[in-house]
Amino acid sequence: MDTQFIGEHLRPGQLGHFFVITSFVASLFSFFSYFRSVNTEVVAPDSSRTWRLMGRSGFALHTAAIIGVFITLFYIITNHLFEYHYAWEHSSRSLPGKFLLSCFWEGQEGSFMLWTFWHCMLGLVVMNTAKGLETRTMTIIAFVQVCLGTMILGFYLGEDIKVGSTPFILLRNSMQGAPIFQMPNYMSFVQDGSGLNVLLQNYWMVIHPPVLFLGFACTLIPFAYCIAALWKGEYQEFVKPTIAWALFNGAVLGTGIMMGGAWAYESLNFGGYWAWDPVENASLVPWLVLIAGLHTLLVYRSTGRALTITFIFLTLAHLLIWYSTFLTRTGILGKTSVHAFTGDGKALTYHLLVVIGLLLILTIALLIRRWRSIPYIKTEEETLSREFWMFIGSVILFLASIQITITTSIPVWSPLAKWITGKEFAPPTDPMSHYNNIQVWVAIIVGILTATVMYMKFKNTEGRTLGKRLGITALIALVMAGLIGWGQRITTWQYDIMLFAACYGIVANIYYGIVVQKTKFKKLGPSTAHLGFATVLLGILLSSYNKQAISFNTTGMPFDFKKATEKENIKESRENVILFHGVPVAIGDYWATYIGDSDVAGKDRRIYYKVSFDRRDSVTHKILEHFMLYPDAFINPKGQEGMSANPSTKHYWNRDIFTFINGATDKSKSDTSTYQSHMVRNPGDTIFVNSGYMVYNGLSRDIVDKRYQPMDGDLAVKAKFTVYNLDGVVQELNPIYILRDRQYLTYVEDTIPSMGAYVRFANLQVKSKDSTAVEMLVRQTDPKDDYIVLKALLFPYINVLWLGVVIMVLGFFISIGDLLSRKKTAPKTATQR
C-alpha cells in the first residue's frame, strides 16, 4: 500500500507535468507537419497547405503549453509549495516578492523554460511574417523546440539514461535516501526553502536574464533562415528578413550582455563590470560572430560576395549559444567561473553534446550539399572598396572569438592535450591581462575600421576624396585624443593608440552623419551604431585605465583576505580601511564615518551598513558636500560562514565612487559595553557620550509614541533630551519610564544610532515639588567593538560607457526601421561554383 503523505499539494505538479508532455508532443507534431509541408510543396501543393496548417496548430498548442508550464511553476514558487524540490531549492518565505521571478531562472530547468518561451514568441512572429519561407524556417524552429523540450522532460530510458530534468519533481523523490521522507508527515518539518542565491537578490537579475535569453533565442532566427536558404538553394528571399533579425538580435543580445555588466558592477565586489569570466565570454562570443555575419550579409546584399562565410558565421552564432550552454551548465567551468551552474552530472553533458552534434551535422551537411550552388564572384575585391574592409573586420571579429573560445574552453580540451603531450594546461592566472593584451588590438583595428569603411563605397572608392575626408577626421581625432590623454594621464602607448581609435571612431562617424548623410535620420543607423561602439571603447578606457582605490589602510593593521598569493593579500590589505563606529576616516577627498547598520535579524537577511561621506573646506572645515552610502552584506548566507557583500555607489556625471564591505564585526560576539548611570536634575544638565553630548530638557507626561501602548493604571513619564555632536543637533531623544499598576516598573528605551548609544530611563526620585532627580542608564558601544572594513574605488567617466551602449543599440533599431521601409531588392548577380 502506498504511503499517504500529509500536507502535499500534488495537483500543481501533475498539471505542470501535463503541460510539459503536451508542449513536447506538440512541438514534435509541429516539426513533423512542417517538414511534410516542405517535402510536398511541389508534388502536392494542397497537401502541403494542409500540413502547414497542422504545423501552425501544433506550434500554437506548444506555445500555450509552455505558457502553462511557466504559470504553474510560478504558482508553486509564489505559494511556497516546498514539497517541490525546485521551490525548496530556489526560494524561501523571507524572500521579497520582487525577487520571486529570479527564483524561476536561477535553476537549470527554469532557465531552459525561459529560453523555450522566447523561442515560442519569436516563432509566432516568424510564422506570420516569413511568407514563402515559413515552412522551412518553422521546421527548424520546431526542431530546436523539440531539442529544448527534452531538457525538461525528466524521465529515464531504462535505468541509467536520464532525459532532462523536470522542475515539478517532489522533494521526497529527489532526496529518496533521507529518512525524513519516509515519514507521512514530513511536510511538518519542511517549513522553509533553501533560499535564492544572495548574488541574485538584485533588481538587475529580475530584468537581465529575460533580456539575455531573448538575445540567445534570437540567434535561432537567422540560423533558421540560413538553413531554409540552403535547404532549397534559394539565396535571395532570405536576405532582407535575416538582416532585420540579425540587427534585432545584435541589439537585444548586446543589451543583455551589458545588463550583465551593470549587474556585476552593482552587485559584485570585484570592482568592475567585466572580468573576462568564462560565463561572460560565453555570451560575448556568439554576439561577436553574429556581428561578423551581419556585416558579411550586408556585403552579399550589395555586391553578391561573401555568402558562404555569411552562412558559416550566422549558423555558428546559434551553435555557439548551445556550446555556451554546455560550458556553463554542465559544471565543467565550476572551478574557473563564479557564475557557472554546478551541472547535472554526465546526463546533461551527453544530452547537450547530442543536440549540438545534431545541429552541427545538419549545418555541415547542407553546406556540403549546396557548396557548388552558393553564389560567388570570381574577381577579387578592390582594396579601396567597402566590402573588402568589411570582410576584413568580420574576419578579425571571428579571430577574436576563436581566441576567447580557446582560452575559455581550456577545462574542456586540457585533459585531451595532457594525454597527447603529457603537459598540464591551466586557465590563465591573470585573465584580465591575458585577454586584454590581445583584445585591445582587436578593439583598435575594429574601432578604426568602423569609421573608415563608412567613407568607402562598394566596388571601388575614389582615393583622393577618401584621403581628404579621413585626413580631416583623423587630425581632429588626434587633437581630441591628445587632450584626453594629457588630461587623464594615459601614458601607456598601446592604450594611447586605443584612445586615438576611439576618438577617431567618434569624430568620423559624427562627421559622416552630418556631412555625408546630411543628418537624414533613417540613414543614420550604421553611423550611430558605430558611434556607440567607439563611445563604448572610450568609456572602457577612461573608466578602467584610471580606476583607483581611494581607501588606504593607514593604521598598519593587516587583514587576511585569503588571496591566492601573499603579494595580492598585501595589496588588498593596503586598499581596505577599517571604520570604527563614529570615527571619521579620510577616503579620497572625503571624510567617511560609519554610523551604524540596519540591524536586521534572522538568517540570510541583508544588513545595510550606513556610511556618511563629507567633503569639507580645507580651511574652514565647513561641509561642502554630504551624502550617504549603504553597502550591504548577507552574513553567513544559507548557513555558510562569512559574508556575501553588495556594493553601494555614488554616481556623478564624470565619475563613480564605488564602495563595498570586506569585513564587519559580529556584534553578537564582541559587544563588551555596559550601562553607565548618570543623574540629571535640572533642564540644561548634560550627559557626555563618545562623539557628542545630551542636554536634559525636563520631563513630560504628554506621550505620543508608537513604541508605547498605554494600559489602564499606567503612570508614564518621558525624559526629553536633545543630542548634539560636533556639527550640531543630531536628534531628539525621549526614553519613557512606566509604573504599571503601582507595582511594576518598566521602560521604553531610546537610541542614538549615529553614536551607537542606548538610553534607558531607569529611576525617578521626587524629593520635593521643585526637586526631581532622574537616573539615566547609557550604554554606548565601544568603537572597537563595532567596525566595518571598507574598500572604495574611483571609476572616472564610467557613464561614457553606458552612454555608448545606448547609442549603439539605438543605431541597431534605426537600421531596422530603415530596412523595413525599403522595397525588396535582390542581391547583386553572382555566379555559382
Side-chain angles (χ1 to χ4, degrees), residues 422-442:
K423 297 180 180 179
E424 292 279 358
F425 293 86
T429 56
D430 184 3
M432 293 294 286
S433 297
H434 172 81
Y435 287 104
N436 287 347
N437 289 339
I438 298 172
Q439 297 301 323
V440 68
W441 294 106
V442 174

Side-chain angles (χ1 to χ4, degrees), residues 24 55 77 158-159 177 179 207 229 267 296 333 385 534 563 583 595 642 830:
F24 176 73
I77 292 172
E159 296 183 358
I207 58 177
S267 301
T296 56
L333 296 180
S385 64
K563 293 295 181 180
V583 180
I595 61 175

Side-chain angles (χ1 to χ4, degrees), residues 261-273 547-551 575 587 590 613 627 629 631 645-652 655-662 790-796 798 802:
W263 164 71
Y265 184 67
E266 293 283 344
S267 301
L268 303 183
N269 59 8
F270 68 81
Y273 44 83
K547 180 184 79 172
Q548 57 180 306
I550 57 173
S551 52
E575 294 178 352
I587 293 182
Y590 303 89
F613 282 78
F627 60 88
L629 289 179
N646 296 309
S648 180
T649 306
K650 173 64 175 176
H651 301 285
Y652 295 90
R655 69 189 187 280
D656 278 3
I657 296 175
F658 177 96
T659 64
F660 58 91
I661 300 294
N662 264 328
L790 183 83
K791 184 171 183 176
L793 298 171
L794 179 69
F795 282 91
I798 193 170
W802 309 128

Side-chain angles (χ1 to χ4, degrees), residues 241-309:
T242 306
I243 292 174
W245 281 106
L247 286 167
F248 181 72
N249 194 177
V252 174
L253 184 54
T255 301
I257 292 169
M258 290 314 298
M259 277 186 171
W263 164 71
Y265 184 67
E266 293 283 344
S267 301
L268 303 183
N269 59 8
F270 68 81
Y273 44 83
W274 194 263
W276 292 110
D277 182 272
V279 172
E280 296 170 344
N281 299 346
S283 60
L284 175 64
V285 166
W287 185 82
L288 293 175
V289 176
L290 172 77
I291 297 304
L294 169 63
H295 284 82
T296 56
L297 183 56
L298 292 171
V299 169
Y300 172 67
R301 184 188 65 176
S302 298
T303 68
R305 299 180 185 274
L307 181 57
T308 302
I309 197 68

Side-chain angles (χ1 to χ4, degrees), residues 289 307-317 363 367 371 398:
V289 176
L307 181 57
T308 302
I309 197 68
T310 297
F311 284 138
I312 292 173
F313 285 158
L314 292 181
T315 55
L316 188 58
T363 303
L367 280 171
W371 187 261
F398 181 60

Side-chain angles (χ1 to χ4, degrees), residues 775-794:
E775 181 184 11
M776 306 301 299
L777 296 180
V778 180
R779 178 172 70 88
Q780 190 169 20
T781 304
D782 192 320
K784 75 177 188 307
D785 291 334
D786 188 6
Y787 65 86
I788 59 174
V789 178
L790 183 83
K791 184 171 183 176
L793 298 171
L794 179 69

